[in-house]
């Protein structure tokens, strides 16, 4: 009886361990901003890169950025406002593991983009 119980506990523990291994957290989405050499209407251009550092696809990524604005058009398929200083990344489509998406903006101010939420899709192989 004890060995059946131990086997059951071991199986449950292993299942939880494997499931937990695939979990992505907000910290698995890296956001970096850097200056480009360009100026738009005498204003600094910036490049923003979103990198998925998880082994799963990240989708429906929402970031917060208070007061964001740009003198140059931002591709809405990559970065679009959804209200209350929140923006959706990549049109909600998945960013594959260890892949990135980026956009450019022009403003004298360097903005901080803070990940708020995402969903993940892990495909078993």
């Amino acid at each position: 009886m004890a060995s059946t119980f131990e086997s059951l506990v071991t199986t449950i523990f292993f299942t939880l361990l494997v499931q937990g291994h695939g979990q992505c957290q907000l910290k698995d989405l890296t956001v970096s901003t850097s200056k480009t050499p360009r100026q738009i209407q005498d204003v600094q251009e910036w490049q923003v890169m979103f990198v998925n550092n998880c082994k799963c696809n990240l989708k429906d990524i929402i970031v917060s950025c208070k007061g964001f604005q740009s003198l140059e058009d931002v591709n809405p398929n990559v970065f679009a406002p959804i209200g209350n200083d929140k923006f959706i990344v990549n049109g909600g489509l998945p960013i594959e593991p260890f892949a990135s998406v980026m956009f450019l903006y022009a403003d004298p101010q360097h903005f901080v983009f803070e990940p708020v939420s995402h969903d993940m899709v892990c495909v078993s192989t």
Side-chain angles (χ1 to χ4, degrees):
M1 185 72 163
S3 67
T4 303
F5 178 75
E6 289 173 358
S7 295
L8 180 61
V9 169
T10 302
T11 302
I12 291 170
F13 176 76
F14 180 75
T15 301
L16 292 173
L17 181 65
V18 169
Q19 287 177 345
H21 179 69
Q23 299 298 314
C24 300
Q25 300 175 356
L26 285 177
K27 68 179 183 177
D28 294 317
L29 179 68
T30 303
V31 184
S32 62
T33 305
S34 57
K35 290 181 178 181
T36 73
R38 291 185 50 195
Q39 299 272 318
I40 308 294
Q41 301 174 17
D42 295 325
V43 173
Q44 179 63 52
E45 181 183 63
W46 303 85
Q47 175 182 294
V48 179
M49 180 96 48
F50 299 95
V51 181
N52 176 5
N53 295 304
C54 182
K55 293 181 180 181
C56 298
N57 291 333
L58 296 181
K59 66 176 190 152
D60 299 325
I61 298 168
I62 306 296
V63 298
S64 176
C65 186
K66 187 169 176 79
F68 177 76
Q69 57 189 358
S70 178
L71 292 175
E72 73 179 304
D73 290 335
V74 174
N75 181 345
N77 294 323
V78 177
F79 192 74
I82 58 172
N84 297 327
D85 293 324
K86 303 243 181 346
F87 298 81
I88 192 158
V89 177
N90 202 34
L93 297 174
I95 300 176
E96 293 183 3
F98 309 104
S100 63
V101 296
M102 72 84 123
F103 74 92
L104 302 170
Y105 76 91
D107 195 89
Q109 179 178 343
H110 168 258
F111 289 99
V112 176
F113 302 89
E114 186 70 35
V116 173
S117 66
H118 63 65
D119 288 330
M120 66 174 199
V121 179
C122 288
V123 179
S124 302
T125 55

